[in-house]
PDB file of all heavy atoms in Angstrom:
ATOM      1  N   GLU A   9      -3.457 -21.228  -6.959  1.00 98.00           N
ATOM      2  CA  GLU A   9      -4.885 -20.928  -7.044  1.00 98.00           C
ATOM      3  C   GLU A   9      -5.324 -19.997  -5.914  1.00 98.00           C
ATOM      4  O   GLU A   9      -4.851 -20.116  -4.773  1.00 98.00           O
ATOM      5  CB  GLU A   9      -5.704 -22.226  -6.976  1.00 98.00           C
ATOM      6  CG  GLU A   9      -5.410 -23.204  -8.102  1.00 98.00           C
ATOM      7  CD  GLU A   9      -5.679 -22.608  -9.471  1.00 98.00           C
ATOM      8  OE1 GLU A   9      -6.723 -21.937  -9.635  1.00 98.00           O
ATOM      9  OE2 GLU A   9      -4.853 -22.815 -10.376  1.00 98.00           O
ATOM     10  N   ARG A  10      -6.226 -19.102  -6.233  1.00 97.00           N
ATOM     11  CA  ARG A  10      -6.777 -18.210  -5.210  1.00 97.00           C
ATOM     12  C   ARG A  10      -7.644 -19.000  -4.230  1.00 97.00           C
ATOM     13  O   ARG A  10      -8.254 -20.009  -4.587  1.00 97.00           O
ATOM     14  CB  ARG A  10      -7.634 -17.117  -5.857  1.00 97.00           C
ATOM     15  CG  ARG A  10      -6.839 -16.101  -6.653  1.00 97.00           C
ATOM     16  CD  ARG A  10      -7.711 -14.902  -7.002  1.00 97.00           C
ATOM     17  NE  ARG A  10      -6.989 -13.931  -7.816  1.00 97.00           N
ATOM     18  CZ  ARG A  10      -6.199 -12.993  -7.338  1.00 97.00           C
ATOM     19  NH1 ARG A  10      -6.000 -12.911  -6.026  1.00 97.00           N
ATOM     20  NH2 ARG A  10      -5.600 -12.139  -8.143  1.00 97.00           N
ATOM     21  N   ARG A  11      -7.728 -18.446  -2.995  1.00 96.00           N
ATOM     22  CA  ARG A  11      -8.558 -19.058  -1.961  1.00 96.00           C
ATOM     23  C   ARG A  11      -9.674 -18.119  -1.515  1.00 96.00           C
ATOM     24  O   ARG A  11     -10.402 -18.406  -0.565  1.00 96.00           O
ATOM     25  CB  ARG A  11      -7.695 -19.415  -0.748  1.00 96.00           C
ATOM     26  CG  ARG A  11      -6.544 -20.361  -1.093  1.00 96.00           C
ATOM     27  CD  ARG A  11      -5.441 -20.315  -0.048  1.00 96.00           C
ATOM     28  NE  ARG A  11      -4.255 -21.049  -0.494  1.00 96.00           N
ATOM     29  CZ  ARG A  11      -3.047 -20.871   0.012  1.00 96.00           C
ATOM     30  NH1 ARG A  11      -2.848 -19.969   0.961  1.00 96.00           N
ATOM     31  NH2 ARG A  11      -2.038 -21.580  -0.435  1.00 96.00           N
ATOM     32  N   ALA A  12      -9.781 -16.957  -2.182  1.00 96.00           N
ATOM     33  CA  ALA A  12     -10.789 -15.957  -1.824  1.00 96.00           C
ATOM     34  C   ALA A  12     -11.005 -15.051  -3.021  1.00 96.00           C
ATOM     35  O   ALA A  12     -10.136 -14.925  -3.888  1.00 96.00           O
ATOM     36  CB  ALA A  12     -10.318 -15.136  -0.617  1.00 96.00           C
ATOM     37  N   PRO A  13     -12.166 -14.400  -3.085  1.00 97.00           N
ATOM     38  CA  PRO A  13     -12.412 -13.453  -4.176  1.00 97.00           C
ATOM     39  C   PRO A  13     -11.517 -12.225  -4.053  1.00 97.00           C
ATOM     40  O   PRO A  13     -11.104 -11.838  -2.956  1.00 97.00           O
ATOM     41  CB  PRO A  13     -13.893 -13.074  -3.985  1.00 97.00           C
ATOM     42  CG  PRO A  13     -14.464 -14.091  -3.062  1.00 97.00           C
ATOM     43  CD  PRO A  13     -13.336 -14.570  -2.208  1.00 97.00           C
ATOM     44  N   VAL A  14     -11.241 -11.586  -5.173  1.00 98.00           N
ATOM     45  CA  VAL A  14     -10.414 -10.375  -5.194  1.00 98.00           C
ATOM     46  C   VAL A  14     -11.204  -9.192  -4.642  1.00 98.00           C
ATOM     47  O   VAL A  14     -12.310  -8.904  -5.090  1.00 98.00           O
ATOM     48  CB  VAL A  14      -9.952 -10.060  -6.629  1.00 98.00           C
ATOM     49  CG1 VAL A  14      -9.300  -8.692  -6.695  1.00 98.00           C
ATOM     50  CG2 VAL A  14      -8.983 -11.135  -7.114  1.00 98.00           C
ATOM     51  N   ARG A  62      -3.325 -16.583  -8.074  1.00 98.00           N
ATOM     52  CA  ARG A  62      -2.805 -15.984  -6.845  1.00 98.00           C
ATOM     53  C   ARG A  62      -1.304 -15.752  -7.001  1.00 98.00           C
ATOM     54  O   ARG A  62      -0.495 -16.664  -6.815  1.00 98.00           O
ATOM     55  CB  ARG A  62      -3.093 -16.912  -5.661  1.00 98.00           C
ATOM     56  CG  ARG A  62      -2.575 -16.459  -4.299  1.00 98.00           C
ATOM     57  CD  ARG A  62      -2.944 -17.520  -3.256  1.00 98.00           C
ATOM     58  NE  ARG A  62      -2.458 -17.190  -1.924  1.00 98.00           N
ATOM     59  CZ  ARG A  62      -1.250 -17.522  -1.459  1.00 98.00           C
ATOM     60  NH1 ARG A  62      -0.390 -18.174  -2.237  1.00 98.00           N
ATOM     61  NH2 ARG A  62      -0.902 -17.201  -0.221  1.00 98.00           N
ATOM     62  N   ALA A  63      -0.939 -14.526  -7.349  1.00 98.00           N
ATOM     63  CA  ALA A  63       0.484 -14.172  -7.453  1.00 98.00           C
ATOM     64  C   ALA A  63       1.069 -13.998  -6.058  1.00 98.00           C
ATOM     65  O   ALA A  63       0.356 -13.710  -5.091  1.00 98.00           O
ATOM     66  CB  ALA A  63       0.643 -12.891  -8.264  1.00 98.00           C
ATOM     67  N   ASP A  76      -3.758 -13.697   4.354  1.00 96.00           N
ATOM     68  CA  ASP A  76      -3.659 -14.205   2.982  1.00 96.00           C
ATOM     69  C   ASP A  76      -4.052 -13.119   1.983  1.00 96.00           C
ATOM     70  O   ASP A  76      -4.974 -13.272   1.171  1.00 96.00           O
ATOM     71  CB  ASP A  76      -4.500 -15.464   2.768  1.00 96.00           C
ATOM     72  CG  ASP A  76      -4.171 -16.162   1.442  1.00 96.00           C
ATOM     73  OD1 ASP A  76      -3.231 -15.717   0.743  1.00 96.00           O
ATOM     74  OD2 ASP A  76      -4.868 -17.137   1.097  1.00 96.00           O
ATOM     75  N   VAL A  77      -3.338 -12.010   2.054  1.00 98.00           N
ATOM     76  CA  VAL A  77      -3.611 -10.892   1.150  1.00 98.00           C
ATOM     77  C   VAL A  77      -3.387 -11.302  -0.302  1.00 98.00           C
ATOM     78  O   VAL A  77      -4.068 -10.809  -1.205  1.00 98.00           O
ATOM     79  CB  VAL A  77      -2.739  -9.678   1.526  1.00 98.00           C
ATOM     80  CG1 VAL A  77      -2.932  -8.533   0.544  1.00 98.00           C
ATOM     81  CG2 VAL A  77      -3.066  -9.209   2.941  1.00 98.00           C
ATOM     82  N   ASN A  78      -2.479 -12.229  -0.559  1.00 98.00           N
ATOM     83  CA  ASN A  78      -2.245 -12.669  -1.936  1.00 98.00           C
ATOM     84  C   ASN A  78      -3.507 -13.216  -2.589  1.00 98.00           C
ATOM     85  O   ASN A  78      -3.756 -12.968  -3.766  1.00 98.00           O
ATOM     86  CB  ASN A  78      -1.149 -13.734  -1.977  1.00 98.00           C
ATOM     87  CG  ASN A  78       0.248 -13.157  -1.883  1.00 98.00           C
ATOM     88  OD1 ASN A  78       0.477 -12.021  -2.259  1.00 98.00           O
ATOM     89  ND2 ASN A  78       1.180 -13.948  -1.371  1.00 98.00           N
ATOM     90  N   SER A  79      -4.283 -13.977  -1.833  1.00 98.00           N
ATOM     91  CA  SER A  79      -5.500 -14.550  -2.403  1.00 98.00           C
ATOM     92  C   SER A  79      -6.530 -13.483  -2.735  1.00 98.00           C
ATOM     93  O   SER A  79      -7.331 -13.640  -3.655  1.00 98.00           O
ATOM     94  CB  SER A  79      -6.123 -15.571  -1.438  1.00 98.00           C
ATOM     95  OG  SER A  79      -5.459 -16.808  -1.512  1.00 98.00           O
ATOM     96  N   ARG A  80      -6.518 -12.392  -1.990  1.00 97.00           N
ATOM     97  CA  ARG A  80      -7.550 -11.359  -2.111  1.00 97.00           C
ATOM     98  C   ARG A  80      -7.175 -10.237  -3.068  1.00 97.00           C
ATOM     99  O   ARG A  80      -8.006  -9.352  -3.313  1.00 97.00           O
ATOM    100  CB  ARG A  80      -7.813 -10.724  -0.739  1.00 97.00           C
ATOM    101  CG  ARG A  80      -8.231 -11.668   0.349  1.00 97.00           C
ATOM    102  CD  ARG A  80      -8.250 -10.967   1.692  1.00 97.00           C
ATOM    103  NE  ARG A  80      -9.102  -9.780   1.679  1.00 97.00           N
ATOM    104  CZ  ARG A  80      -9.096  -8.842   2.636  1.00 97.00           C
ATOM    105  NH1 ARG A  80      -8.275  -8.970   3.656  1.00 97.00           N
ATOM    106  NH2 ARG A  80      -9.900  -7.811   2.553  1.00 97.00           N
ATOM    107  N   SER A  81      -5.964 -10.239  -3.602  1.00 98.00           N
ATOM    108  CA  SER A  81      -5.465  -9.032  -4.250  1.00 98.00           C
ATOM    109  C   SER A  81      -4.927  -9.270  -5.654  1.00 98.00           C
ATOM    110  O   SER A  81      -4.527 -10.374  -6.022  1.00 98.00           O
ATOM    111  CB  SER A  81      -4.359  -8.407  -3.392  1.00 98.00           C
ATOM    112  OG  SER A  81      -3.263  -9.298  -3.270  1.00 98.00           O
TER     113      SER A  81
END
Side-chain angles (χ1 to χ4, degrees):
E9 299 301 317
R10 290 192 182 276
R11 302 160 189 160
V14 170
R62 178 181 178 272
D76 192 5
V77 176
N78 281 334
S79 280
R80 303 171 56 194
S81 62

